[in-house]
Amino acid sequence: MNRDNYGFISLILGMIAIVLGLTQGLSVVGVVSGIVGVYLALEARKDDPSNSLAKYGLITSIIGLVLSVIFLIACISCVSCIGMSIMSI
């Protein structure tokens, strides 16, 4: 794969991470795409630090990763609370 496209791919993966992070069951996929997006953006910035697509890809991937992790933790805690309330009945 051409390293010139890493910035663009990281931008797309960051957007995917944001969208999937806000859905209920796909937060795990959002976390994975956010991690891959951050990695690709950092690789693209190694070659060309002034690459604006890599910078925006890094920003969107970090935002998507953080949102995905927050919603994943919220989902897990909500499911555990429901499980505890069912067991107490």
Side-chain angles (χ1 to χ4, degrees):
M1 179 180 283
N2 190 0
R3 293 176 76 95
D4 296 334
N5 296 328
Y6 281 6
F8 179 71
I9 294 171
S10 70
L11 180 66
I12 298 299
L13 285 174
M15 290 183 210
I16 290 172
I18 290 172
V19 170
L20 292 180
L22 297 176
T23 59
Q24 271 184 342
L26 298 174
S27 294
V28 175
V29 180
V31 169
V32 171
S33 66
I35 290 171
V36 172
V38 167
Y39 173 75
L40 289 178
L42 291 175
E43 286 294 315
R45 286 184 58 98
K46 274 187 202 174
D47 291 343
D48 183 13
S50 64
N51 188 349
S52 62
L53 277 178
K55 180 173 69 170
Y56 297 134
L58 182 63
I59 292 169
T60 56
S61 295
I62 289 173
I63 290 171
L65 181 62
V66 168
L67 281 175
S68 297
V69 167
I70 288 172
F71 277 87
L72 183 64
I73 291 172
C75 245
I76 290 172
S77 65
C78 189
V79 168
S80 68
C81 285
I82 291 172
M84 294 299 288
S85 67
I86 289 174
M87 290 179 65
S88 66
I89 294 179

